[in-house]
Structure formats: structure tokens, C-alpha cells
Amino acid sequence: MEIFNDLLKFSVVDVIDVILVALLLYYIYKLVKGTVAINIFIGIIIIYLVWRLTNFLNMELLSGIFGGFMKVGIIALIVVFQPEIRKFLLMVGSTNFSKRGKLFKQFSFLKTETSDETNVDAIVSACIKMGNSKTGALIVFERNNNLDFLSASGDEMNIKVTQPIIESIFFKNSPLHDGAIIVSNNIVKATRVILPLNNEKVIPKRFGLRHRAAIGVTERTDALALVVSEETGTISYFKDGEFVVFEDTTELNLMIKKDLA
């Protein structure tokens, strides 16, 4: 009967509280999914459960050890999850709500239409052609995080994405070929963009500054990045600060479309 009485006391505020917690956990899961952080997160949960169990069984020694760990747990979380926390705060602070029209369209489970109209086929085809001629390129796809703070470092544009446009921007004699371009909803919104470099990770020697910049921007935001190597002509794809392996450009095309959806 006490359970039913508690349910009857459930107010609208309690419902909102549960929904907000669920959304918070959902976004935390999105941030750590597919990364090493998910294993650390699970480890912390296991330690917490063991601490509660030892406390319940009055195992004072073990309970004291795990209790001491939990007391400094918040500091440990900040240190261990520093990149994820920074990315989460950036997601909250710079989400481009106006680009989607309505607030609820930001949540992927509520979307009823494709969230990005970018012509991925044209961009991949341009990368293939630039790879054949060993023309270096760095293309950043904006998603939920607004990248205006990066666009300000380059030249703001408003050009519809086409294969000739992408190739002409990165043409070696073009004044716009240095730096990265930012693409959002099939529009090149900025060229000659200076991206933050990642100097912490050990990357293969065949990767250069473009690849470090791609790692840096995808690590700090939810953006995607394509790199065409000027030395080898190979195409590289980056997401969440990691190099994404693909078998051929057809698979690459499908992966980008899926990640932008």
C-alpha cells in the first residue's frame, strides 16, 4: 500500500524531473559511447555498487576503502572525464537551436526527417578527384555544435556545396585553399578556417597538420572531418577525435550520411 501511496504523491514536477534526468543520461551515453570512457564509467558504477554492498553487510574495512574513494570521486571524475565534460558543456552552450527551427528537433529520437541536407556525394567525389591529383583538403561538417567561433578565424561564406566549388576552393593556386572549410546544411559557411591542433595523441607519421587539426576539432566538438593528404592523396575520416576505418569511398559516403542524419 505504501508504494501506491507514493505513486499517488507523484506530481508533475516529479515527472519533469525524471524526464530531465533521462535526457541527461542519454546525452552522457552519447558522449562516451564507443570510447574508452564507457569502460571507465562502468567501472565507477561497479565500485559504487560494491561500496553500497559492503556498507550494507557492515564490512567496515572494505566499506571504508571504497567510501574514501567515493569521497574524492567527483575530483576523479573531473580528471578522468575532462574531454567528455568539456565536450558536453560545449554541446550545451553552443547548440545551434535556430538551425533546426524547434528545440525538440535536437533530440535524435524525436526527429522525423533528415537533419542535414548536405550533398555528401559531391563532397566525396571532390575528395576522390583531389586525392588523385594529391591536392590537400580539410573539410569539417557542422552538426549540433555551432562552429561560428571557429568560422570567425577564417573567411565567412555562403556558398552552396557542389563538386566544382569544393575542388576550386582547395585548388593549389586558390587564395582560399589554406586551412579548413566548414560545411553546414549544404552550405560552405567559412573557408581558411584555423582549427585547434591536437598534440597529445600519438598519430602515424603519415598524418600531418591537417590530420591533427581534424582530430582536434572532432575531439572538442561533435563535428565530422574529412582530410585529403597532400603527400599520399589518401582520404581520412575523423569522428569523436578518432580515425574511422572504411573499406572504400562507397562505405565512406554511407557513413557520413548516417552520421549527419
Side-chain angles (χ1 to χ4, degrees), residues 123-149:
I123 293 177
V124 172
S125 296
C127 288
I128 294 172
K129 195 167 181 180
M130 290 187 292
N132 293 333
S133 62
K134 292 188 177 179
T135 301
L138 175 51
I139 302 168
V140 177
F141 298 90
E142 183 183 78
R143 294 203 288 175
N144 288 326
N145 292 161
N146 192 312
L147 301 182
D148 286 348
F149 69 100

Side-chain angles (χ1 to χ4, degrees), residues 35-73:
T35 67
V36 178
I38 188 67
N39 297 326
I40 299 174
F41 186 68
I42 293 172
I44 291 173
I45 292 176
I46 292 173
I47 291 175
Y48 174 78
L49 292 175
V50 171
W51 172 56
R52 299 299 297 179
L53 178 62
T54 55
N55 193 34
F56 175 76
L57 296 175
N58 293 322
M59 301 171 69
E60 295 183 3
L61 184 58
L62 277 176
S63 179
I65 294 173
F66 287 116
F69 177 83
M70 296 307 299
K71 287 178 182 178
V72 297

Side-chain angles (χ1 to χ4, degrees), residues 120-121 124 141 143 224 226 236-239 242-261:
V120 177
D121 296 332
V124 172
F141 298 90
R143 294 203 288 175
L224 310 171
L226 269 180
S236 302
Y237 181 45
F238 294 88
K239 177 184 176 183
E242 300 291 341
F243 174 74
V244 181
V245 179
F246 55 91
E247 292 186 2
D248 50 38
T249 52
T250 300
E251 184 182 2
L252 171 64
N253 199 323
L254 294 173
M255 289 172 64
I256 297 175
K257 289 179 179 178
K258 180 180 178 182
D259 290 335
L260 288 177

Side-chain angles (χ1 to χ4, degrees), residues 141-181:
F141 298 90
E142 183 183 78
R143 294 203 288 175
N144 288 326
N145 292 161
N146 192 312
L147 301 182
D148 286 348
F149 69 100
L150 292 175
S151 301
S153 66
D155 299 324
E156 293 188 9
M157 298 285 175
N158 187 18
I159 310 171
K160 184 178 180 180
V161 170
T162 63
Q163 181 176 339
I165 285 292
I166 299 298
E167 292 178 21
S168 63
I169 289 174
F170 290 108
F171 180 64
K172 293 179 181 179
N173 293 328
S174 167
L176 303 176
H177 80 280
D178 282 332
I181 68 169

Side-chain angles (χ1 to χ4, degrees), residues 4-227:
F4 290 107
N5 290 332
D6 291 337
L7 289 175
L8 291 174
K9 295 177 183 178
F10 218 64
S11 65
V12 176
V13 176
D14 295 322
V15 173
I16 295 174
D17 188 27
V18 171
I19 292 174
L20 290 177
V21 170
L23 289 175
L24 178 63
L25 292 175
Y26 169 74
Y27 270 103
I28 292 175
Y29 171 73
K30 281 186 65 177
L31 285 175
V32 301
K33 182 181 67 174
T35 67
V36 178
I38 188 67
N39 297 326
I40 299 174
F41 186 68
I42 293 172
I44 291 173
I45 292 176
I46 292 173
I47 291 175
Y48 174 78
L49 292 175
V50 171
W51 172 56
R52 299 299 297 179
L53 178 62
T54 55
N55 193 34
F56 175 76
L57 296 175
N58 293 322
M59 301 171 69
E60 295 183 3
L61 184 58
L62 277 176
S63 179
I65 294 173
F66 287 116
F69 177 83
M70 296 307 299
K71 287 178 182 178
V72 297
I74 188 66
I75 299 175
L77 283 175
I78 293 174
V79 173
V80 173
F81 291 102
Q82 188 265 343
E84 284 74 21
I85 293 172
R86 179 175 58 188
K87 192 173 180 180
F88 174 75
L89 294 175
L90 184 59
M91 180 187 297
V92 173
S94 65
T95 297
N96 189 359
F97 295 108
S98 62
K99 186 171 70 173
R100 304 291 185 253
K102 293 184 179 180
L103 171 64
F104 294 108
K105 288 185 180 179
Q106 294 300 311
F107 305 112
S108 60
F109 53 86
L110 295 176
K111 291 179 184 176
T112 57
E113 57 183 0
T114 303
S115 62
D116 197 294
E117 303 296 330
T118 299
N119 189 347
V120 177
D121 296 332
I123 293 177
V124 172
S125 296
C127 288
I128 294 172
K129 195 167 181 180
M130 290 187 292
N132 293 333
S133 62
K134 292 188 177 179
T135 301
L138 175 51
I139 302 168
V140 177
F141 298 90
E142 183 183 78
R143 294 203 288 175
N144 288 326
N145 292 161
N146 192 312
L147 301 182
D148 286 348
F149 69 100
L150 292 175
S151 301
S153 66
D155 299 324
E156 293 188 9
M157 298 285 175
N158 187 18
I159 310 171
K160 184 178 180 180
V161 170
T162 63
Q163 181 176 339
I165 285 292
I166 299 298
E167 292 178 21
S168 63
I169 289 174
F170 290 108
F171 180 64
K172 293 179 181 179
N173 293 328
S174 167
L176 303 176
H177 80 280
D178 282 332
I181 68 169
I182 295 178
V183 175
S184 177
N185 266 342
N186 209 42
I187 297 295
V188 178
K189 63 184 294 185
T191 59
R192 297 204 306 169
V193 175
I194 300 173
L195 299 180
L197 297 179
N198 181 291
N199 294 315
E200 299 174 2
K201 290 188 177 180
V202 177
I203 64 174
K205 292 183 179 180
R206 68 178 184 277
F207 287 169
L209 290 178
R210 288 188 180 90
H211 300 85
R212 286 195 177 275
I215 292 174
V217 70
T218 57
E219 191 175 54
R220 289 168 172 79
T221 71
D222 69 344
L224 310 171
L226 269 180
V227 177

